[in-house]
Amino acid sequence: MTRRDALRYVAAASALAGMGAAAAGAGAPAASAAAPTLIDFAMRQIPAEDIRAAGHAGVINYVSTSRPGSSFGAKPITLPYAQSLTAAGLVIVSNFQYGKPGGTAPSDFTRGYAGGVADARTAWQLHTAAGGGQSAPIFFTIDEDIDRDTWNRVALQWFRGINSVIGVQRTGIYAGINPCQWAGADGVLGRSSTPGRWWAWQTKAWSGTQVHPAAVLYQRVVSTASNPGPVVGGIEVDVNDVLAQDCGQWNLHP
C-alpha cells in the first residue's frame, strides 16, 4: 500500500466512524478503499439488508413526492422504511427533488423565491414525518447545467425562499461544481460540523474532473441507460462518496 493509499484509508475509516453511533453500534458495513459510500435511488425502497450486503453505509433518500404521471416507490421516504434502515445501522441523508428538465413538472429552481418557500415547506413536512432530525439539512436539487446568470436571477432566489422557511443552516444543495461554489459564496448553504465543509452534495455531472473542497458528498456513479450503476436489491443505483464525517446524516442531527 502506498503512502497516499494509506492516507485515503485512514480518512475513509475516520469518515465512517463519524457516520454516528447507530452505524457503529450495529456494525457498519465495510467501506470502499476510497471512502464510505451512500446510495441514492427512486424506483422503490431497497431492503436494508441488501444495502448492507452491498457494503454501503446508508442512503440519500427523497423528502419529495413523485411527479405527475410517475410513481416512485422511494418517494417520499416513510417512517417504517427509515426505522428499518436505522435498525440495520445505516444512516440517512435527506434530499428534495420534484421536477426535472423535460419532465412533467419543471426543474424546481425555476419557480424562484415563492417556489423555494413551497418546496421547503413540503420537504420539511416529509422529512420530519419520516423521523428526520430537527437540525438535519435537506439537499435541494439543481439537476442540470446552469450558468451564472441563471443562478443569480432564478436559482439563488429559490434558495433564499428555502432559507426563509428552514433557515440557512438546514439548507443544502445537489448540483454540479459551479452551483455548489456559487451557493456557498452567496451564503445560502449551512455548514457541516466538519471544518471547511458546506452542505454541498456535488454530482460528477457538469463538474469535469474537479471535486469542490467544501463538498460533503460526491456522486461518483450516476446511473443512466447508457452507463448503468451497480445493482443493489434488484435495481440500479447511484453511488456517492462520503467526504466529511458530518455529511448531514440524521443521527448526528437529532
Side-chain angles (χ1 to χ4, degrees), residues 30-76:
S32 68
T37 52
L38 306 181
I39 57 174
D40 68 276
F41 47 91
M43 187 63 64
R44 61 176 173 81
Q45 295 175 345
I46 300 175
E49 58 268 26
D50 291 340
I51 297 171
R52 285 182 53 82
H56 302 291
V59 306
I60 307 169
N61 221 146
Y62 289 99
V63 289
S64 50
T65 57
S66 296
R67 294 179 291 278
S70 62
S71 180
F72 294 110
K75 297 180 74 169

Side-chain angles (χ1 to χ4, degrees), residues 190-236:
R191 292 187 175 271
S192 165
S193 64
T194 302
R197 301 283 178 166
W198 303 328
W199 299 138
W201 171 18
Q202 182 190 336
T203 176
K204 76 172 187 177
W206 321 299
S207 294
T209 59
Q210 295 180 296
V211 179
H212 196 283
V216 293
L217 293 163
Y218 178 68
Q219 190 179 57
R220 174 169 47 86
V221 177
V222 183
S223 183
T224 64
S226 60
N227 187 29
V231 175
V232 180
I235 64 172
E236 295 165 5

Side-chain angles (χ1 to χ4, degrees), residues 2-247:
T2 66
R3 181 174 180 273
R4 182 177 180 181
D5 287 340
L7 289 172
R8 290 176 71 195
Y9 179 84
V10 170
S14 176
L16 185 58
M19 298 301 279
S32 68
T37 52
L38 306 181
I39 57 174
D40 68 276
F41 47 91
M43 187 63 64
R44 61 176 173 81
Q45 295 175 345
I46 300 175
E49 58 268 26
D50 291 340
I51 297 171
R52 285 182 53 82
H56 302 291
V59 306
I60 307 169
N61 221 146
Y62 289 99
V63 289
S64 50
T65 57
S66 296
R67 294 179 291 278
S70 62
S71 180
F72 294 110
K75 297 180 74 169
I77 188 171
T78 62
L79 179 59
Y81 184 56
Q83 289 173 331
S84 75
L85 296 172
T86 301
L90 299 170
V91 300
I92 304 167
V93 174
S94 290
N95 76 291
F96 179 93
Q97 182 180 8
Y98 179 69
K100 66 174 292 184
T104 55
S107 295
D108 302 322
F109 76 87
T110 63
R111 299 186 303 114
Y113 188 95
V117 170
D119 291 341
R121 288 173 176 165
T122 297
W124 192 246
Q125 189 275 322
L126 295 170
H127 169 88
T128 54
Q134 291 294 308
S135 62
I138 298 173
F139 292 82
F140 291 82
T141 301
I142 297 181
D143 199 13
E144 59 186 280
D145 194 16
I146 65 172
D147 59 23
R148 186 60 182 266
D149 181 63
T150 301
W151 168 262
N152 288 340
R153 290 186 300 101
V154 186
L156 177 57
Q157 309 314 313
W158 182 59
F159 273 96
R160 286 178 172 157
I162 293 165
N163 291 166
S164 74
V165 175
I166 64 172
V168 172
Q169 183 52 32
R170 292 184 294 198
T171 301
I173 187 174
Y174 165 94
I177 189 169
N178 287 333
C180 288
Q181 169 64 39
W182 301 331
D186 286 335
V188 294
L189 298 184
R191 292 187 175 271
S192 165
S193 64
T194 302
R197 301 283 178 166
W198 303 328
W199 299 138
W201 171 18
Q202 182 190 336
T203 176
K204 76 172 187 177
W206 321 299
S207 294
T209 59
Q210 295 180 296
V211 179
H212 196 283
V216 293
L217 293 163
Y218 178 68
Q219 190 179 57
R220 174 169 47 86
V221 177
V222 183
S223 183
T224 64
S226 60
N227 187 29
V231 175
V232 180
I235 64 172
E236 295 165 5
V237 301
D238 301 331
V239 180
N240 305 273
D241 294 331
V242 176
L243 305 181
Q245 291 185 10
D246 178 6
C247 64

